[in-house]
Amino acid sequence: MTTTRQWHGGELRWDHLGGDWAVLAPGRAGRPGDVPDACPFCPGHNEDTPQETWRLPGPGEPGWRLRAVRNRYALSDHHEVLIESPHHDWDIAVATDEEVTDLLRAWQIRHRALRQDAAQVVVFRNRGSAAGTSLSHPHSQIAGLPVLSTAVRRELTVMREHYDRTGRPFAADLLTGELAAGDRVVLAGARAVAYSPFAPAAEFEVRIAPTRHRADFAAVPDEELPSVAHVLRRVLAALRDELGDPAYNLILHTAPAGLEHVPYLTWWLRIHPRLALPAGLELATGVPVITVLPEDAAKRLRAHLGDAG
Ligand SMILES: [Zn+2]
């Protein structure tokens, strides 16, 4: 009952009853909170961050628009922080499409860089303390893991079986159904569609799916990224307008290692607002209790988006 896995300085333990992995990261307990005037991600404090691994150069000072650094409080040695802007108050919701496109391209670059010997690389962005972030400077994280979780394996099985049965990607049929129904669609862009899922995991959860199906987000070509960036930016702006800058986790779901070219998988983005803490029933059953219908959530978000697309 003590199955463990060591990987690049990190440790995972297997939960024999729950049937999934736990990541042990005692070093993360020492993470600092926000320190006024001493943000380690702001320009001028570059010496406070660990080794830089990548940057998107920018004109003038500070000479970069995005930069990736090793995570000082890492899950393993394959865990980076992507500092999304030199500006402490920058956010996707108030950014330009070009800036968000640069961010998505940075995710692609760092995903490719960290996936050499990982089973999967997870890209996520925590905003607000209720979403688990310790620093308010805008940043996302890229973390390699040596295993696939049971939850991810289950998703892969559902998508593969659907494809075997129908010859179509699961996500394609899901999107066709959502566009036909319409009442859960938040925003339909040229290359990406945002919708509230039929059975959400959280109030105001929004998923963004591409209209062109591809397993590997890192392989999305340059000409498709701006439309994805546009939909992501506008949906986050609508969430901010409706809910007043809510805490959320933004998660990129993309192909695990070795499955980048399979026809049954589709990458997608999940925005999981943190409006309420999971309570006893959720912990007892693993089943979320959702107090806002996704059809109502979509309608309320659409009201902020107008007809501009
Ligand atoms: Zn800062």
Side-chain angles (χ1 to χ4, degrees):
M1 299 282 190
T2 53
T3 307
T4 62
R5 177 86 187 256
Q6 306 290 330
W7 194 69
H8 293 290
E11 179 183 350
L12 294 94
R13 295 184 184 177
W14 179 254
D15 173 5
H16 283 271
L17 182 59
D20 218 331
W21 292 96
V23 175
L24 283 291
R28 287 181 70 71
R31 285 179 297 161
D34 275 323
V35 181
D37 305 323
C39 171
F41 295 165
C42 273
H45 296 101
N46 290 2
E47 66 279 5
D48 293 339
T49 52
Q51 183 197 346
E52 180 176 296
T53 53
W54 175 85
R55 68 163 54 186
L56 177 66
E61 290 296 325
W64 55 272
R65 290 162 66 191
L66 295 106
R67 62 192 290 258
V69 300
R70 295 196 188 286
N71 193 321
R72 189 187 294 280
Y73 303 95
L75 304 171
S76 76
D77 293 341
H78 288 223
H79 186 180
E80 291 185 355
V81 171
L82 180 71
I83 303 167
E84 297 170 345
S85 169
H87 303 291
H88 193 86
D89 295 326
W90 185 88
D91 185 44
I92 295 175
V94 297
T96 64
D97 283 354
E98 291 72 22
E99 288 171 332
V100 184
T101 302
D102 285 341
L103 171 61
L104 297 183
R105 198 172 291 118
W107 285 2
Q108 292 183 313
I109 291 166
R110 298 323 296 159
H111 193 279
R112 281 185 194 280
L114 287 182
R115 71 190 188 190
Q116 272 86 19
D117 66 344
Q120 66 174 324
V121 174
V122 185
V123 179
F124 58 97
R125 177 180 209 265
N126 303 330
R127 181 165 171 87
S129 55
T133 193
S134 52
L135 285 170
S136 57
H137 194 112
H139 66 284
S140 31
Q141 300 181 55
I142 303 101
L145 289 173
V147 295
L148 290 187
S149 69
T150 302
V152 167
R153 280 182 193 281
R154 206 192 146 276
E155 282 183 17
L156 295 174
T157 301
V158 168
M159 293 196 221
R160 194 185 61 240
E161 288 178 353
H162 182 91
Y163 189 84
D164 288 347
R165 202 166 54 244
T166 65
R168 295 185 302 273
F170 177 87
D173 281 355
L174 187 67
L175 195 56
T176 301
E178 288 298 342
L179 287 169
D183 55 346
R184 284 181 298 276
V185 173
V186 175
L187 180 62
R191 303 286 196 164
V193 177
Y195 64 95
S196 301
F198 178 71
E203 282 85 9
F204 284 91
E205 179 185 1
V206 177
R207 299 182 183 183
I208 297 175
T211 55
R212 171 121 188 247
H213 293 273
R214 198 179 268 108
D216 182 15
F217 178 76
V220 175
D222 266 0
E223 64 268 24
E224 292 182 25
L225 281 181
S227 175
V228 178
H230 177 79
V231 170
L232 174 61
R233 175 182 71 74
R234 298 207 64 212
V235 167
L236 287 175
L239 276 167
R240 188 185 175 111
D241 290 345
E242 176 64 25
L243 301 170
D245 201 12
Y248 65 81
N249 305 101
L250 168 62
I251 300 154
L252 168 65
H253 292 249
T254 183
L259 299 180
E260 290 87 352
H261 303 292
V262 298
Y264 57 85
L265 282 186
T266 307
W267 68 267
W268 55 287
L269 296 169
R270 173 153 62 115
I271 303 162
H272 185 112
R274 294 287 181 174
L275 305 178
L277 284 173
L281 190 130
E282 285 92 332
L283 292 177
T285 61
V287 174
V289 178
I290 304 299
T291 57
V292 180
L293 290 175
E295 293 79 11
D296 292 339
K299 188 177 177 184
R300 284 165 62 179
L301 293 176
R302 277 199 306 270
H304 296 283
L305 292 166
D307 297 316

